[in-house]
Amino acid sequence: MIKVVLTMSWRPTYRSSKFRNVYGKVANREHCFEGVPITKNVHDNHFCAVNSKFLAIVTESAGGGSFVVIPVTQSGRIDPHHPKVCGHQGNVLDIKWNPFHENIIASCSEDSSVRIWEIPDSGLRRNMTEAVLELYGHSRRVGLIEWHPTSNGILFSAGYDYKILIWNLEIGEPVKMIDCHTDVILCMSFNTEGSLLTTSCKDKKLRVIEPRSGNVLQEANCKNHKVNRVVFLGNMKRLLTTGVSRWNTRQIALWDQEDLSIPLIEEEIDGLSGLLFPFYDADTHMLYLAGKGDGNIRYYEVTTEKPYLQYLMEFRSPTPQKGLGVMPKLGLDVGACEVFRFYKLVTLKGLIEPISMIVPRRSETYQEDIYPMTPGTEPALSADEWLSGTDRGPVLTSLKEGYSRPSKLVFKAPVKEKKSVVVNGIDLLENVPPRTENELLRMFFRQQDELRRLKDELAQKDVRIRQLELELNNLIHNPNNLFCYIVIPH
């Protein structure tokens, strides 16, 4: 009898990937931005926005909110008296560059307003206090803003009044209010063509919303996985969320956008407490995870088949990050095979540090496989077309010859008169009782100012009445004007 013994060698499955060896490279000191008074606000935003022309950072300031705008080519130490954009009356909570106008930036603030600013090509020469457009519609502070990815002139804002307003900047008014949330909205993300909006909320629910109608298409009640941030994974019909598990460990989850009943996968990351920010690159199908308060950036490759997420590598740094700005594809160095670039905010040093994610290639020719056609600066739709129900994907362009075509669009602010803002039959500017101590104090001081003004007006009118009474007495008792008749109407 012959006995055959079969032995099996257990080896990890090797998966070929062109992004397997992507590495992070920190810019040289002369290409960093130093001496920037980065805001100490604890709001969970990036406080940074960047495009191929400008870098904008929310700064620490007294007596209102401000942010600084620096041309990306003017790195080095920043003048302490560098001009700022400082028109808000409260702390600035979020800033976003318009994807189709590189000189237009939107900001939102604790003063309950959203403002649109136009930055000159040469940068700021003096402090900018006048916005080209001021948008009032929220009754409480505004924490998030997002530009529509394919339509020109459509802006979304989410406030602490639990509402999302859709603004048509061509008329300077809100055209739709999404009122399906029961707590503070933490994050907003669009699919590629902007036909769907997904949100994470403090009420522990994940929602997929049709923005024009405001209808909630899918909803997940995340009890085991407390969602903080969510991002659409391009056209893969997948959502990725970062959050905290029931054991308070940082966790990511992948969802099918058409069925949010249960996540496709859940994966624990580590036991740190900082918020995990997800960044997705639809061109390379790479996902980056950066923790607030730690210096590491993990990156994965996303696939449509199991196991869906393939861990690649981790960029490590000893300096903690407060937030991260992301350079659009049009501003990357294709000659160095750069596929992603972060701008890391280091608060303690007042430093903004560029970090490039690079695919190592020996050839110096253009690498078409890692630079597919990508969205350019030309909008696919006008605001009216999108609002009427049309959906269209982004207008794509090639990076082969280096993208330098300027946008031909000109931003023209509408002329507005201050009035009540009514959306869906509700006046958005009506008086709302304060919910926090800060809101109560701001309302108290506003009412004190109003009372002081009214008292001054009343005193002036009392003086004027006394003057008129004296003139009337003089007319009645003047012996030289015997034939003067005064008719006092009843």
Side-chain angles (χ1 to χ4, degrees), residues 167-361:
W167 301 88
N168 182 355
L169 301 188
E170 293 179 1
I171 61 173
E173 297 289 345
V175 291
K176 179 68 185 175
M177 179 176 69
I178 301 173
D179 190 12
C180 60
H181 299 85
T182 59
D183 211 325
V184 176
I185 299 149
L186 302 175
C187 184
M188 296 189 291
S189 177
F190 291 97
N191 64 346
T192 304
E193 60 185 16
S195 59
L196 294 175
L197 172 72
T198 181
T199 63
S200 60
C201 183
K202 216 170 179 180
D203 62 8
K204 300 180 181 179
K205 290 185 179 180
L206 175 68
R207 296 173 174 88
V208 175
I209 302 166
E210 203 292 310
R212 281 168 297 217
S213 65
N215 295 331
V216 179
L217 305 180
Q218 291 288 328
E219 184 176 280
N221 198 347
C222 308
K223 293 181 179 178
N224 298 333
H225 170 72
K226 182 184 174 184
V227 173
N228 287 323
R229 291 291 181 271
V230 59
V231 62
F232 259 109
L233 300 183
N235 281 329
M236 299 177 73
K237 295 190 175 181
R238 299 279 190 272
L239 303 174
L240 184 122
T241 59
T242 66
V244 181
S245 71
R246 62 169 68 181
W247 297 281
N248 283 334
T249 57
R250 294 200 294 192
Q251 190 181 52
I252 59 174
L254 188 69
W255 308 75
D256 182 347
Q257 74 177 39
E258 296 177 351
D259 181 12
L260 299 185
S261 58
I262 188 170
L264 297 173
I265 58 168
E266 287 181 337
E267 184 175 327
E268 292 192 4
I269 303 299
D270 54 35
L272 299 179
S273 59
L275 184 71
L276 270 179
F277 292 115
F279 302 90
Y280 180 67
D281 180 4
D283 294 348
T284 60
H285 302 296
M286 286 181 66
L287 171 75
Y288 301 86
L289 296 177
K292 183 178 181 179
D294 55 79
N296 302 345
I297 302 174
R298 299 172 176 84
Y299 38 104
Y300 302 75
E301 191 169 8
V302 183
T303 61
T304 55
E305 300 174 354
K306 289 184 179 180
Y308 303 119
L309 289 177
Q310 183 73 31
Y311 175 77
L312 296 175
M313 211 177 291
E314 182 176 357
F315 168 80
R316 295 178 179 271
S317 170
T319 54
Q321 56 223 7
K322 182 179 181 68
L324 293 162
V326 174
M327 173 66 77
K329 285 285 181 175
L330 307 181
L332 299 181
D333 183 1
V334 296
C337 294
E338 183 184 33
V339 292
F340 215 73
R341 189 192 303 165
F342 294 102
Y343 283 77
K344 174 179 172 178
L345 272 59
V346 184
T347 309
L348 296 177
K349 299 181 180 180
L351 178 70
I352 290 88
E353 191 177 60
I355 302 171
S356 298
M357 311 307 293
I358 295 173
V359 179
R361 295 281 174 95

Side-chain angles (χ1 to χ4, degrees), residues 33-52:
F33 301 82
E34 299 182 73
V36 181
I38 301 169
T39 180
K40 295 181 175 63
N41 196 310
V42 295
H43 194 72
D44 286 330
N45 272 344
H46 294 293
F47 301 111
C48 178
V50 63
N51 62 20
S52 60

Side-chain angles (χ1 to χ4, degrees), residues 97-137:
W97 289 104
N98 188 321
F100 311 117
H101 302 267
E102 292 194 307
N103 294 62
I104 300 295
I105 187 169
S107 63
C108 63
S109 165
E110 288 184 350
D111 64 10
S112 304
S113 74
V114 177
R115 304 192 185 200
I116 311 297
W117 312 85
E118 185 168 13
I119 308 299
D121 283 327
S122 58
L124 296 178
R125 301 296 181 191
R126 61 183 65 86
N127 284 351
M128 180 178 283
T129 57
E130 294 295 325
V132 294
L133 197 55
E134 296 181 11
L135 306 173
Y136 293 95

Side-chain angles (χ1 to χ4, degrees), residues 431-448:
N431 292 324
V432 180
R435 296 191 180 182
T436 66
E437 186 177 350
N438 285 337
E439 288 182 5
L440 181 64
L441 284 172
R442 281 199 296 271
M443 182 174 286
F444 171 76
F445 288 126
R446 279 200 301 267
Q447 289 176 344
Q448 290 295 308

